Amino acid sequence: MHRRTALSVSAALLAAAPLLTACGGEAHPGAAAVVGGERIEVSSLQAQVEDVRAAQQASPQAEQLIEATGDLSREKLNVMIFDRVVDRVAEDNGITASRAEIQQARDEFTQQSGGAEQLAATLLQQQGVAPDQIDGVVRRTVLMNKIAAKLGVENTPEGQKKLTEVFTAASKDLGIDVNPRFGTWDDAKIQLGTFSAPWLRRITQDPATAEAGA
C-alpha cells in the first residue's frame, strides 16, 4: 500500500539523532527557529508542548507518559521544522492535501484504531501528540504518501535514499536556522540532532499501525 510504504520511508528520515556542526538563532530573538525566512516563535512551540502536557496529565498513565517525553520541546520543534520541509517538497512537486483528503485519512485511521478515543490514546502514548494536533499528523501522512507516489518511492534502501536526497535538498534550500537553546539542524538527516527519543521513529508512521509496531 502506498500509505504504509511512504510512512515507513518517511519515518526513517526522523529516526536518527546525528551529531551537528552548524548553529544559529542568535540573530532571531524570540524565535525557536527560522525556516525559509519564516519564524517559528518560541510561544508557538510552547503552546504545542503545553497541549501535550495537559493531555498527558489527564491520562491514567500521566507519570509514565511525561517521563517518556522529557525532551518534548525539542521533539515538537523537530516536528514543526520537518513539517515545513515536507511542505516545501510538496510545493516543489505540485502536491497539496485537501481538507476532504485529510478527513478521509483520519476516518480510516480512526476505524483501523478501533475508534476515535483509541486513536487519540495511541498517538498521545506513541508520538506525544495531543488530540488537537492529530490533524497535523494526518496531513503529514497524506502529503508523504503523495510525495512518495509522485517520486515513485518504494520501501527499499534505494527508495529511502532517493527520498532522503529530495528532503535534504529542500532542507538546505530553506536555510534552517535553529536557536542554540534547542540545538542545531542537520540537513543530511533532516532533523535536530541534540536529542534521541525512542518513540521518535513513529512520528510519521501510520497511526493505525503504530501500536502494533511497538
Side-chain angles (χ1 to χ4, degrees):
M1 294 175 60
H2 283 301
R3 176 177 299 116
R4 293 185 180 176
T5 296
L7 292 171
S8 297
V9 174
S10 61
L13 295 177
L14 289 168
L19 297 176
L20 306 175
T21 56
C23 64
E26 294 179 358
H28 309 286
V34 178
V35 183
E38 296 184 0
R39 296 163 58 95
I40 297 177
E41 301 292 347
V42 172
S43 58
S44 298
L45 171 62
Q46 191 58 38
Q48 289 217 6
V49 172
E50 290 173 357
D51 281 348
V52 174
R53 291 301 186 214
Q56 290 174 331
Q57 289 168 0
S59 169
Q61 294 83 35
E63 184 176 352
Q64 182 181 6
L65 292 175
I66 292 171
E67 182 179 357
T69 54
D71 214 359
L72 188 58
S73 291
R74 288 184 177 86
E75 148 59 12
K76 282 299 175 185
L77 181 58
N78 187 83
V79 174
M80 292 171 81
I81 296 173
F82 183 75
D83 277 344
R84 284 156 175 77
V85 179
V86 173
D87 286 344
R88 171 58 66 88
V89 175
E91 181 181 356
D92 289 346
N93 286 277
I95 292 169
T96 59
S98 69
R99 180 67 246 176
E101 289 172 319
I102 293 171
Q103 187 59 55
Q104 180 181 354
R106 180 164 180 165
D107 289 345
E108 291 175 2
F109 296 152
T110 298
Q111 182 178 12
Q112 294 167 16
S113 297
E117 289 186 6
Q118 183 59 38
L119 176 62
T122 297
L123 287 173
L124 181 64
Q125 178 182 2
Q126 300 288 350
Q127 302 186 21
V129 173
D132 62 357
Q133 297 169 0
I134 293 176
D135 275 355
V137 176
V138 177
R139 178 179 181 275
R140 184 188 316 123
T141 298
V142 172
L143 289 175
M144 290 298 296
N145 288 339
K146 288 189 169 186
I147 290 168
K150 180 72 175 289
L151 299 177
V153 169
E154 297 294 338
N155 191 14
T156 63
E158 293 76 14
Q160 180 180 328
K161 182 174 182 289
K162 179 178 180 180
L163 194 63
T164 300
E165 289 173 349
V166 170
F167 273 73
T168 292
S171 181
K172 290 179 178 178
D173 188 54
L174 286 167
I176 297 167
D177 181 27
V178 177
N179 187 321
R181 168 184 171 187
F182 300 102
T184 49
W185 183 261
D186 186 343
D187 291 318
K189 297 296 183 181
I190 316 110
Q191 74 165 59
L192 284 169
T194 56
F195 74 107
S196 178
W199 39 275
L200 183 59
R201 65 185 180 276
R202 299 188 181 90
I203 214 65
T204 55
Q205 188 178 9
D206 188 333
T209 62
E211 188 171 17

